[in-house]
Amino acid sequence: QLQLVESGGGLVQPGGSLRLSCAASGFTLDYYAIAWFRQAPGKEREGVSCISASGGSTFYADSVKGRFTISRDNAKNTVYLQMISLKPEDTAVYYCAAGKGYIATLRAPNYWGQGTQVTVSS
């Protein structure tokens, strides 16, 4: 039973910050690229960010570049998404996903978490 579990979502005001966590159980994340996706009502799922297994390569969607930072702590078997300067358009369910190769992971991940809700509203 391989699982990815997201946490850290919630309700924040515009301009606020959240730190999402993606924790793995049943397997080790060391050799997996990890991506964050989001899906808002009425919109297609969007690949937000991704980090390579080594941590040496990252991807950010233009919509979040400069505001979101992805990082990983393999000792804790966890990947993080630090989000600052949040906007209402960031409101979505955020999912983490794991795969081999960060571009391939953005296209077709092997493992999915169940999502955490982020709501940015005044």
Side-chain angles (χ1 to χ4, degrees):
Q1 48 183 275
L2 309 180
Q3 290 188 333
L4 295 170
V5 180
E6 302 94 336
S7 62
L11 174 64
V12 297
Q13 295 183 3
S17 300
L18 284 174
R19 187 194 193 199
L20 305 184
S21 298
C22 175
S25 63
F27 68 105
T28 300
L29 289 181
D30 297 38
Y31 300 103
Y32 289 89
I34 303 295
W36 287 95
F37 296 84
R38 66 186 182 186
Q39 188 160 25
K43 298 181 180 178
E44 282 194 351
R45 185 174 62 210
E46 176 187 19
V48 173
S49 186
C50 192
I51 187 167
S52 63
S54 69
S57 298
T58 58
F59 162 84
Y60 298 96
D62 288 343
S63 57
V64 307
K65 191 172 184 179
R67 299 187 298 117
F68 291 11
T69 302
I70 191 169
S71 62
R72 64 191 304 152
D73 186 343
N74 287 344
K76 297 181 179 179
N77 216 23
T78 301
V79 173
Y80 304 98
L81 186 68
Q82 179 68 54
M83 308 184 295
I84 65 171
S85 302
L86 284 163
K87 305 173 181 179
E89 51 263 45
D90 295 318
T91 296
V93 177
Y94 284 71
Y95 302 87
C96 68
K100 296 297 183 70
Y102 77 102
I103 299 299
T105 299
L106 284 167
R107 184 183 72 251
N110 297 116
Y111 306 100
W112 286 91
Q114 296 180 3
T116 185
Q117 176 71 47
V118 172
T119 302
V120 185
S121 177
S122 60

